[in-house]
Amino acid sequence: MELCLFLGCNTPAIRPDVERAIRATMPELGVDLAEVEGYVCCPAFGSFPSTDDDSHLASSGWNLSIAEAKGLDIMVQCGSCYSSLRMGLDHLAHDDLKLARVNELLELTGRKLECKTAVRHVSEILYNEVGVEKISRTIKKSLEGLHGVIQYPCHTLFPSEIVGFEESPRQPKALRVLTEALGATVESYSRELQCCGGAGGFSSSSPAEATAFTKTKLDAIIEETKADFIVVSCITCLMYLDNIQKKLNEAENTDKYNIPVFDYNQLLALCMGFDPKQVASICTIPRNLVIDRL
Amino acid sequence: MAEKKPIGTVLVAGAGVSGIKAALELAEIGYKVLLTDASPQIGGILAKLDNQFPSDHCGMCRILPMVGREYASQYCMRKGLYHENIEILPFTELTRVEGDVGNYTIELLKKARYIDTDKCNGLGECIKVCPVEVPDEFNHGLTQRKAVYKPVPHSTPQMLLVDMDVCTNCGECVKVCPTNVINLGAEDEAFTRHVHSIILASGVKLYNLEEFEDAKSWAVSQDVISALAFERIISGTGTFDGQIKRPSDGKPAKKIAWVQCMGSRNRRQKRDYCSSICCMFALKEAMLARQKGGDDVEATIFYMDMRTFGKDFYRYYEKAVDAGVKFIRCRVQEVMHNPDKSLSMRYYDSQKEEFFVADYDMVVLSTGQIPHKTHAKLAKLFHLELNCQGLLPTQIYDKVKLVKPGVFLCGSLMGLTDLSEAISSGIAAAGQASTLLSSLDVTIIEEEQIAEPTTKDRQVPLISVVLCKCSEKVEKSSVDFGALEMGLKKFNFVGEVNIIDMVCSDQGKENLLKLLKKSQSNRLIIGACHPFMYRKSLKNLAKKAGFAASLIEIFDLSSIVHKGFFESVKKDQTHEAYSEIISIMENLKLKPALHVETLSMNRTALVVGGGIAGMHASFALAQRGVDVHLVEKSDKLGGYAGNNIHATIDDLEPVSMAKDLMIKVLEHKNIILHKNCEVAATQGSFGAFETRIRDLENQENQYLSHGAAIIATGGLEGKTAEYEYGNSANILTQAQLREGLSTGKIDVSDAQNIVMIQCVGSREKQGRKYCSRICCIGAIANALAIQEKNPDARIFILYRDVMTYGFAEQYYTKARGAGIVFVSYDLDKKPEVELVDGKPVIKFTESVLNSEIELSPDFLILSPGVDPEVSNREVGKAFDLPVNDDGFFIEADSKWRPIEFLRTGFYVAGVAHSPMTLKDAILQAEAAAQKVYAHLSSRKIHRAHVISKVHDAICVRCQRCVDICPYDARSYDKVLDSIMVDAAACQACGMCGVACQNNAARIMGFSDKQIMAVIDAKLSENPMFMVGK
Amino acid sequence: MDFSESDKDLWKQIYNTKDLLYCLNCSTCLSGCPASHGDPPLLVRNLARMVVFGLEDDLLDDDTPWACVSCSRCEEMCPMDVKPFEMILAIRKWQSANDETRVPPSIVEIYKRGYTQSVGTNTKLRKSLGLPELQTITKMPQMLKLYQQMLMKTPVVSENDYMFNEE
């Protein structure tokens, strides 16, 4: 199958190793990737979706129309981009007035939107389209003996009728099953479904409280599990959980927050034998302990 | 010869409490009942519950007939049910219905149990060898069961079955079965029957954590359980022998939280209704947790509104508050488990404006009722469409009448009912069915009339012993019948010993009759299995052979025989049986012959109160041929609702409905109306009362004879002087507003702000200590009416708890959607009202933002609740019926006997009982009429053999027995200066015998001498004989 | 709180859906909200009440809607289907429309280069990872121009056009 890869901004700009991992792994699993030439900001919830409907939905429509013109569905890794595009699409697909207005705006640019393109999350593609069996068959190395925990991207869970794909959004399992397919032991912990705390204005408007909030999550992981790594499938979760551990160590003068964080496609790429320097090189908390065990 | 009329037969589909109650009611009249249930056992949810609010005990047996009690089983209802006229068909579904009113052909599908339960001895050898283990539904997965299992562990007889969904067909059970009754190849069996009426009683389904997506986020630990699972934990027959432990590790649970509205009050999940029962359920469980677990148990309830709307509910809530149960008004989003297995929940305290995180050992989810999935199935069966609430469509005023005539429904099929409503509706549905049957050409099951033989108790005792070998169930008996026969024969008071077989079969019965006819003995002992099932028929048989009913003892021989199969029982079962028979004989030798008197019933009913409930009950009785005296204090019929309320939110028109009913009542030849009359005094006992009524105009007395009476005195709109009421034209009651809006005398078109205050003088220690149940819905109706006339008006409803229980929740939702603003207030911070220039100014705290609001509303509307009828105390005095502190009548049992008085022959309906909606009042009236009809329809009532008597000569009239009698069967008659016993009401419990210090209260057939003889016999070794040893 | 100053129909301006009115103040949204841990806390339930009451001044001054992490947990859990996250966005939109200082600077970045940050400029890093140069809209002036023209027709850009002028 072929899908348009919607990169967003953080991944290509700050964590291009994740982009590399996605571009490396997906075609080998039978998912060919096309570009979304001229895409713009998804738009991030703090931008146009916080100013007015027109600018918000016109930007969504802009992005969607590029893929639609190619006749392809969109695949996203970033949780915010995924959710913003899905919600934008949902508004446009269910409200003829809004769609008409957006098409009025798009017309100026020579574009058109019929809401034919679907927006899908990379973890959903891996889970539903590729399947764990194919993944198990394809990998060359295994995470056997390593313990992982999952950070589910909220944006792929809620609200379930718009963004959800799990059979049971209150008990998601896609990332767990996918990680288990790589040979790792996945442990549950009490705050598994708690938000990473990194998105939106919370961490900038209340930095101390936001740090304390995420600390409860990390403490739960440390106390309740033998986690060697955290698996995410959202660029915000990845960056935030990685960076905050260093902050916590500095603030508390400790080194206990040292769990490496991986995007799922990074682990997948490592297991498929790609060069760690290319697919998993950018991080704050060192990943050697996991990478060396492979 | 005229063709024999068929026996009136009714299908009751569903054997939860409401279905059982309906079946019992019809059986009591003498109709034949088929009682089916889709599950493998009867009893529904109640089989799982040890305790019910408000007594915190079980009391299910109280639904058994009190009058004529010997026709039904008289043991724990949670174990099973037996009535001669009821055919119980568990695991049977209704699959097809053909025909029309009064004549239906139904097709039933009996699902395969794979075990012949008639022959199974219930000992469960098969269970021991079954290799399959699955979670046990009965204990909500807290324990495991096998593929072959007992669906209700405590039922009698044990009704085992094989769960084919999990059975591996290994056949081990077949091999070990001693009675050879397992057939793993058995098939479902379809059969048809003819019935004259159908009552649907499919019962309730509870929201469960496994099935529903939105519940799954709560499944974070084994210690997050449903309310019913908690019920199994605290049950004496439950998982931890009644100790409160958390399932995950068996450690005592000391901090327990209840989370309300689980699965209900959820518009997003399309469950926009209140389950109605969970608030009281949680309160009861919290109280029980503290009672059973000790004072160090911390019980917290997370709630939105504590819906304590029913009778005495609020008092129970206050009791819980006093008992230290904590209440937190917050719907929490999730529970998380901590590393130490404790559970943590985060909530917001609006008053402190702060978040808190609290840890608990166990979290109980108050999983609500959801409309049963069978609704859709039933609708299809009867070619009906479900209504917008997903319920079967019923007639507008009668909740128990399906739109399809001849078919009735009760219990949770009507919507979301609590226990007392389930019972009342069961009775009402039976009432409707009996009304229909009384108009058809059908008859009742005539009781076999066997003349009691001449007294034989003065003769020297000579006992005939009959023992049934029960060879069908026992291949090799553990009792040596030959030895037993020899041992017993040596007593000179034993006439003969007969060992027979299969006395339960027709052939067996015939053989027995022949044997007994030949007998010269005057007393009889029969040993057989399931005495509760065969007692009546065996006794009738023996009576035909000339034995006196009270000189026949039937005992359970099979249990003694079966015990012998356990290797652990080292006792000699032959000796065990011998010893049992000896002690029974000792008793029997001393027994007097007791004779059954028949009480003649006056077939006239008295109905007090001519409101809608009273008129409905009168007409329901008159229709069935019962004469009715209807006594009304005022000069007009209709009562409060029938004269004042023109329309309700649910599209009822009480005034016009009352007018129609009035015409029916006035025109019916069986009803005599006594207007302007009040009841003064009554005397007599059940079946033969004489009541004096006084004409209020000319003060003349009239004496009315009647067999039973219904009290339907109604109620009044509450009065208040709070919140400056009466001092301003802009301060009105809801009733005044409703009236003003409908007549146009009150103009709201220019109003900007309207404030309504709920619970005025209600639910507080200084005022009415109860919720009036109808005011929240009434206020919402008025608010919506104002909104319609003036969409720009801002309407505030200040409430404490919005009592829109059941589907009335949808009115609450509708009102919010229409922009009506609801603000909660606490009792310790009531709104303050003062008058400025004659207009009200109100100050209150806004509950969400926690800020002070001052408003000058155009209108201030008060909801002062419902007051009881002022004459209730006098009526109570005249009939010797109890009235509670609030002024409403006290029923015999709030859950199990909601419309009966303790005093036999008296029933209550409508607001005389407690504030209620019109539909509920009609339901109760229908039920009360049915109770009266069940008794009055038979000309004679047989009292039970065993009742208490008074030895008048040694009675000192201390009346201790009168006070202690739990059935109000004893009274002191001033004229005769004697203690009287109402023979129909007495249940022979023996409390009077215990209380009486002079031994003047006696239970016939239970003399001290007899009891001592039994004890002596049981204690002695009975070294009877040396057989084979 | 003074109701004589409040606009009963403000909700129609802010979040014109009846879903909002169904709120029964149950606090579900508060209990699991990440940003409710903030200082000041984001209290979604209270915001809903303020909108319903029409407390215009209080709402304009309130910063907490901007603390939302957009996790949409409240949306999933709300028993009345108020769609609280949509409401948060709606409040932000209303604030932006009524107070230009609320307009987030990120939209200027997006206007200028298509993204909130500089995407596609890290060519060296990308190359070292084996990634090709990224053809972003920033590097496609024709296309960016079309996007900007489109945005110029939207209220927030046209009414605050001074923010978007090239220096």
Side-chain angles (χ1 to χ4, degrees), chain A residues 49-293:
Chain A
S50 298
T51 59
D52 64 35
D53 272 356
D54 278 6
S55 59
H56 169 193
L57 297 175
S59 294
S60 310
W62 175 277
N63 288 324
L64 293 166
S65 69
I66 299 172
E68 195 174 280
K70 292 191 166 192
L72 295 176
D73 288 348
I74 292 175
M75 183 182 88
V76 199
Q77 182 263 1
C78 169
S80 298
C81 294
Y82 170 72
S83 177
S84 175
L85 286 168
R86 285 271 316 225
M87 287 189 185
L89 179 62
D90 187 72
H91 276 291
L92 294 168
H94 293 107
D95 191 330
D96 292 342
L97 282 176
K98 284 180 182 164
L99 181 61
R101 172 63 184 147
V102 163
N103 271 322
E104 210 177 292
L105 289 165
L106 283 176
E107 211 181 350
L108 300 169
T109 69
R111 296 183 184 280
K112 199 178 156 221
L113 186 70
E114 289 180 72
C115 296
K116 282 181 176 167
T117 281
V119 177
R120 304 177 70 175
H121 192 256
V122 61
S123 63
E124 188 257 332
I125 298 288
L126 286 165
Y127 186 67
N128 286 332
E129 299 292 344
V130 176
V132 284
E133 264 179 45
K134 189 162 188 182
I135 291 173
S136 314
R137 263 188 283 122
T138 314
I139 55 171
K140 299 181 180 112
K141 295 177 184 176
S142 160
L143 297 174
E144 215 180 310
L146 289 168
H147 290 246
V149 292
I150 308 291
Q151 165 65 39
Y152 280 96
C154 302
H155 289 120
T156 64
L157 302 176
F158 314 125
S160 52
E161 69 273 24
I162 297 175
V163 303
F165 54 79
E166 296 272 357
E167 258 168 70
S168 171
R170 312 272 179 118
Q171 281 178 331
K173 62 175 189 192
L175 274 176
R176 156 184 293 268
V177 174
L178 288 170
T179 307
E180 281 168 351
L182 302 180
T185 306
V186 177
E187 292 192 56
S188 326
Y189 60 106
S190 56
R191 278 154 174 77
E192 191 161 316
L193 293 188
Q194 182 178 304
C195 162
C196 69
F202 177 37
S203 58
S204 50
S205 63
S206 298
E209 287 77 13
T211 307
F213 176 75
T214 307
K215 181 177 141 62
T216 61
K217 176 159 203 137
L218 291 164
D219 284 344
I221 295 173
I222 291 165
E223 235 177 291
E224 298 167 27
T225 74
K226 290 184 279 186
D228 298 306
F229 58 87
I230 300 171
V231 187
V232 302
S233 192
C234 161
I235 199 67
T236 306
C237 298
L238 179 72
M239 298 195 311
Y240 194 72
L241 288 179
D242 192 15
N243 297 339
I244 201 163
Q245 294 191 61
K246 190 178 167 211
K247 259 199 226 164
L248 278 168
N249 283 335
E250 284 166 7
E252 298 188 9
N253 197 18
T254 168
D255 59 356
K256 78 179 211 193
Y257 299 103
N258 56 4
I259 320 163
V261 190
F262 290 89
D263 175 71
Y264 179 77
N265 280 80
Q266 291 184 309
L267 284 176
L268 180 60
L270 291 171
C271 288
M272 286 165 79
F274 290 99
D275 181 2
K277 287 197 188 74
Q278 293 201 332
V279 297
S281 58
I282 308 170
C283 58
T284 308
I285 301 298
R287 291 164 166 164
N288 320 5
L289 282 175
V290 174
I291 292 171
D292 295 349
R293 287 273 295 272

Side-chain angles (χ1 to χ4, degrees), chain B residues 4 7 30 71 84-85 444-452 509 513 517 534-545 549 596 598 942 945:
Chain B
K4 227 175 128 195
I7 290 166
Y71 295 88
E84 281 187 6
N85 299 348
I444 57 168
I445 299 169
E446 288 295 338
E447 210 195 327
E448 230 179 319
Q449 294 296 332
I450 306 161
E452 280 276 339
K509 281 187 186 134
L513 184 60
K517 274 187 174 163
Y534 302 121
R535 177 167 282 134
K536 180 90 183 179
S537 61
L538 289 178
K539 278 201 173 183
N540 277 347
L541 198 82
K543 271 161 77 180
K544 276 190 204 160
V596 182
T598 49
H942 297 287
H945 281 89

